[in-house]
Amino acid sequence: MSEFTKTLCPYCGVGCGLEVSPPAQQGKATHRDSQGNPIWRVRGDKAHPSSQGMVCVKGATIAESLDKNRLHYPMVRDSLDREFRRVSWDEVFDIITRRIQTVRFTQGPEAICMYGSGQFQTEDYYIAQKLMKGCLGSNNFDANSRLCMSSAVAGYIQSFGSDGPPCCYEDLELTDCAFLIGTNTAECHPIVFNRLEKYHRKNRKVKMIVVDPRRTPTAEAADLHLAIRPGTDIDLLNGIAHLLMRWDRIDTMFIDDCTSNFSAYAEVIRHYPPDVVARQCGISVEDLETAARYWGESQRVLSLWSMGVNQSSEGTAKVRTIINLHLMTGQIGKPGAGPFSLTGQPNAMGGREAGGLAHLLPGYRLVKNDQHRTEVEDFWGLKRGQISANPGLTAWDMITGLENGNVGLLWIAATNPAVSMPDLERTKKALLRSPFTIYQDAYYPTETTAYAHVLLPAAQWGEKTGVMTNSERMVTLCQAFRQPPREAKADWEIFAEVGRRLGFIKEFAFTNSAEVYAEFAQLTKSRPCDMTGISHEQLQTQGPTQWPHPQESRGSRGSREAGGETSQKRLYTDLRFHTPDGRARFGAYYSRGLAEPPDSDYPFVLTNGRLYGHWHTQTRTGRIEKIRSMHPEPFIEIHPRDAVKLGISDNQIVEVRSRRGQAHFPAKVTKAIAPGTVFVPMHWGALWANDAEANALTHPESCPDSLQPELKACAVQLMPVSHKITVQNYQLQSSQW
């Protein structure tokens, strides 16, 4: 009988359940990769409620990356121009703690920074918050959720009074109208899209609207594709609202009883008549009216969005403007309806719950809130005032802090900023100036390795037990099924040991991750993300569980009379929100457009995104042969009309220049991209191709509320060139370290 271990796919925020079994099983041939190496068997977990046994190519091949180019031992070097040398954990912990103490007492705790990842498990996130924000008094913990989901966080908080997607995946199969904007769900969240598309095909009365400058595989499945100009999302959304108001397709009772600030919003949308909006967006009035009619005539409207909305200088405004449409039509708190952000990373949601951004504290608390800080200080046994009242440095602030000398120590874990940050050449120059960089990862090399003074080998997926939360607030226990290679350690264990060596022994007296999670869960008591009824043991016996899931109150029915330990599939079913007056808030926004619009010198808008097979900066997927063969090289999509004007033919190399840098890509001439817009994938860093980094071109201008950079759009110029781009023939050799 096969012994399968239940776990979760460590790629995107869909959160697909997986079952994993050893390479060798009685009566079966040993499972091997194409090179003959034994690899674990992976299949979808049919019992997992989110994915129902489905799995995409990334999840199906994940085990092939487990032993490719792993970092096995701690390594240090005195300067970036020296070679790394192997050291013991004892020695490297001493080096790190001495450096932390030196920076604390010479520059202050605000000079200590940590940049984490949605690849963390919740236990990793939580221990990092306790160490940085609690014990060290530095709020300078940020994660790549800053580049991914922070606009959604800000939008939910401003509109509803709290973070937290109010919908669930079941709504994909209950809606009358799915409105997808700024998301290529088919490639980036494929299992979510599979559920929606299957339902859509069976129910022809159900409408699907896709808003995207590209005709993606997602758009191909739509009843209506709106290929708007980049930066005109708010124009479109306000234009739809204008028509709904004009046609009296609004829920006045819900607006009066459950919302505030509608009059200010109504004044704004008055200025977005159909002819103006259609002209601004580059679409027809008929298509705009069709979109509004689909929304207005539907009883249940579900909106889905991702990076195309969040990664914008108007990111928070876009999120709130999507939510406005739901509020004006009463489309929230019921099956098949509501605003639903699709999380990018596998545990970006868990990071938000644990306080894993520079302005957050565990349990959906805010650094700026006096009561929230006091609650966490008391829980952690810290003196009042230990947690700073000032939000910490964001990921980009850390880069500028390196430039001006305000950052004395940078600890990077489970992420690859030497590819993923905007304005990449500036980022790399800043990283070179870092006085002391600790880099904690499972793989060697990555592009960020070149900027590290210390390398710490981390256990990854399958090698540590912990919890992750997906886009629909489903909490899943990811169980270890193998030992970490050589001397690799779980991230939370590394953080905890540093804490103990800094003198915080009782604060980090954990013996396993279940104890860590139990402490964290208590800190969510009576918070919107209450998980006091969830534990490792409960997840192991009862399976994945959605929050809120409070512990059953014994002897007192409390305010959640029928709740007990029953999870809520949807939030706000009682139409009461986490604002002081219990009302959801309309946000009134005029469109400002792109932070860097095209002009005569840089006449094209460059956008970027993910491909179906690859994940982010290829740290895993670049080491899997099947995925590399699916996507062998980067490219640039350009419309035939633009290609003819510039004399660019298919597969010809194109030099792309922005005000910050340049890159080269083979042309893919296609009508799938709107004229005036070009697209490149964001996966290729310096390890995988020469001169093909998307973020060499992007700028760091960000949303004023979420501080999320506008990675999705910048102005570029194109020039055809003759030489061929070189894709690195990356050799997958056994790890030396």
Side-chain angles (χ1 to χ4, degrees), residues 526-721:
S526 302
R527 299 296 302 156
C529 58
D530 194 322
M531 288 175 269
T532 49
I534 301 178
S535 66
H536 280 208
E537 182 183 12
Q538 178 267 334
L539 292 170
Q540 200 158 20
T541 57
Q542 299 179 27
T545 303
Q546 275 177 297
W547 65 253
H549 190 84
Q551 189 172 32
E552 185 176 8
S553 55
R554 304 185 186 280
S556 171
R557 297 177 68 84
S559 60
R560 295 177 56 85
E561 292 184 330
E565 290 188 352
T566 301
S567 299
Q568 276 184 252
K569 285 185 177 181
R570 298 170 188 87
L571 306 182
Y572 312 124
T573 54
D574 59 357
L575 304 184
R576 295 288 294 174
F577 301 89
H578 295 292
T579 53
D581 60 3
R583 292 170 174 262
R585 294 178 286 226
F586 280 93
Y589 295 95
Y590 292 97
S591 175
R592 293 186 290 110
L594 298 177
E596 187 181 68
D599 57 26
S600 57
D601 292 328
Y602 297 90
F604 293 91
V605 176
L606 172 79
T607 189
N608 60 71
R610 280 167 39 194
L611 304 177
Y612 168 66
H614 272 310
W615 173 253
H616 288 195
T617 66
Q618 299 194 57
T619 306
R620 278 197 184 103
T621 56
R623 295 170 162 91
I624 298 172
E625 184 178 352
K626 180 177 182 178
I627 291 177
R628 290 204 316 278
S629 65
M630 288 175 62
H631 306 294
E633 63 179 11
F635 55 84
I636 183 167
E637 289 184 352
I638 180 171
H639 191 275
R641 186 191 310 170
D642 296 325
V644 168
K645 285 181 184 177
L646 295 172
I648 294 172
S649 57
D650 212 36
N651 292 318
Q652 185 174 8
I653 300 303
V654 177
E655 181 172 288
V656 187
R657 288 182 174 269
S658 75
R659 291 177 173 86
R660 291 151 299 279
Q662 66 178 46
H664 294 82
F665 305 94
K668 185 176 181 180
V669 180
T670 173
K671 291 181 179 179
I673 191 76
T677 303
V678 293
F679 168 86
V680 299
M682 48 79 78
H683 305 292
W684 276 266
L687 274 181
W688 306 102
N690 289 328
D691 199 22
E693 296 161 312
N695 281 324
L697 305 162
T698 56
H699 62 75
E701 296 301 314
S702 63
C703 168
D705 293 325
S706 69
L707 305 179
Q708 181 163 357
E710 190 165 86
L711 288 165
K712 273 291 180 279
C714 66
V716 298
Q717 55 183 229
L718 309 179
M719 289 170 285
V721 294

Side-chain angles (χ1 to χ4, degrees), residues 252-505:
T252 53
M253 185 176 295
F254 176 83
I255 293 170
D256 290 344
D257 292 347
C258 304
T259 73
S260 62
N261 202 40
F262 179 70
S263 59
Y265 174 60
E267 172 58 26
V268 167
I269 63 176
R270 186 173 66 83
H271 299 280
Y272 287 84
D275 56 335
V276 172
V277 169
R279 185 168 60 251
Q280 187 70 12
C281 293
I283 59 175
S284 68
V285 170
E286 290 76 16
D287 280 351
L288 175 65
E289 291 176 339
T290 299
R293 190 174 68 254
Y294 284 169
W295 188 298
E297 293 177 353
S298 299
Q299 295 299 308
R300 298 166 295 184
V301 181
L302 181 71
S303 63
L304 303 164
W305 76 90
S306 193
M307 298 312 114
V309 167
N310 294 337
Q311 290 177 337
S312 169
S313 58
E314 298 181 289
T316 304
K318 289 180 183 180
V319 170
R320 295 200 68 192
T321 306
I322 294 169
I323 293 172
N324 287 344
L325 286 175
H326 287 274
L327 297 181
M328 76 184 298
T329 54
Q331 295 284 359
I332 190 170
K334 59 184 181 180
F340 196 177
S341 58
L342 296 176
T343 315
Q345 291 260 22
N347 198 34
M349 276 296 299
R352 288 146 69 176
E353 296 153 14
L357 285 171
H359 64 295
L360 301 179
L361 291 170
Y364 276 5
R365 293 175 173 89
L366 300 174
V367 161
K368 285 185 174 180
N369 186 300
D370 294 345
Q371 181 182 342
H372 289 178
R373 291 195 311 279
T374 298
E375 289 169 354
V376 177
E377 287 163 349
D378 290 349
F379 184 85
W380 282 342
L382 304 173
K383 67 179 187 296
R384 297 284 176 89
Q386 175 67 20
I387 298 175
S388 171
N390 300 315
L393 299 180
T394 67
W396 183 251
D397 290 336
M398 293 177 192
I399 297 302
T400 59
L402 291 173
E403 290 177 336
N404 60 33
N406 289 337
V407 173
L409 183 148
L410 177 61
W411 192 337
I412 303 168
T415 187
N416 194 15
V419 181
S420 58
M421 291 293 285
D423 200 350
L424 199 53
E425 292 309 308
R426 182 178 173 185
T427 294
K428 291 177 180 178
K429 289 176 182 176
L431 290 171
L432 286 172
R433 297 187 61 176
S434 175
F436 193 75
T437 297
I438 305 163
Y439 185 46
Q440 182 170 314
D441 208 309
Y443 291 95
Y444 181 91
T446 73
E447 286 83 355
T448 303
T449 308
Y451 303 93
H453 299 88
V454 173
L455 299 178
L456 301 180
Q460 63 149 318
W461 172 81
E463 298 163 0
K464 59 181 183 178
T465 294
V467 159
M468 288 190 173
T469 308
N470 73 2
S471 292
E472 65 166 342
R473 297 172 282 105
M474 186 72 70
V475 182
T476 300
L477 181 65
C478 312
Q479 299 187 75
F481 53 82
R482 56 175 254 165
Q483 290 296 312
R486 310 288 173 83
E487 295 184 8
K489 294 179 181 289
D491 294 283
W492 75 264
E493 292 178 320
I494 297 171
F495 300 146
E497 180 60 23
V498 169
R500 287 190 290 267
R501 290 185 181 233
L502 287 168
F504 305 105
I505 296 171

Side-chain angles (χ1 to χ4, degrees), residues 175-250:
T175 191
D176 300 323
C177 177
F179 182 85
L180 290 76
I181 179 169
T183 171
N184 180 12
T185 320
E187 292 194 87
C188 299
H189 297 88
I191 304 308
V192 159
F193 188 75
N194 288 353
R195 290 183 64 168
L196 176 62
E197 186 183 31
K198 183 179 179 181
Y199 168 73
H200 180 234
R201 283 200 310 265
K202 286 184 176 179
N203 299 273
R204 298 314 303 171
K205 291 183 179 180
V206 172
K207 301 302 181 184
M208 185 191 299
I209 306 167
V210 173
V211 183
D212 197 312
R214 300 173 66 215
R215 189 164 184 84
T216 63
T218 309
E220 292 284 353
D223 299 288
L224 177 65
H225 173 215
L226 301 175
I228 63 172
R229 292 191 183 99
T232 61
D233 307 68
I234 291 177
D235 299 272
L236 173 71
L237 296 165
N238 283 348
I240 292 172
H242 178 102
L243 288 169
L244 293 173
M245 180 84 95
R246 179 188 292 182
W247 298 339
D248 196 26
R249 291 282 187 178
I250 65 175

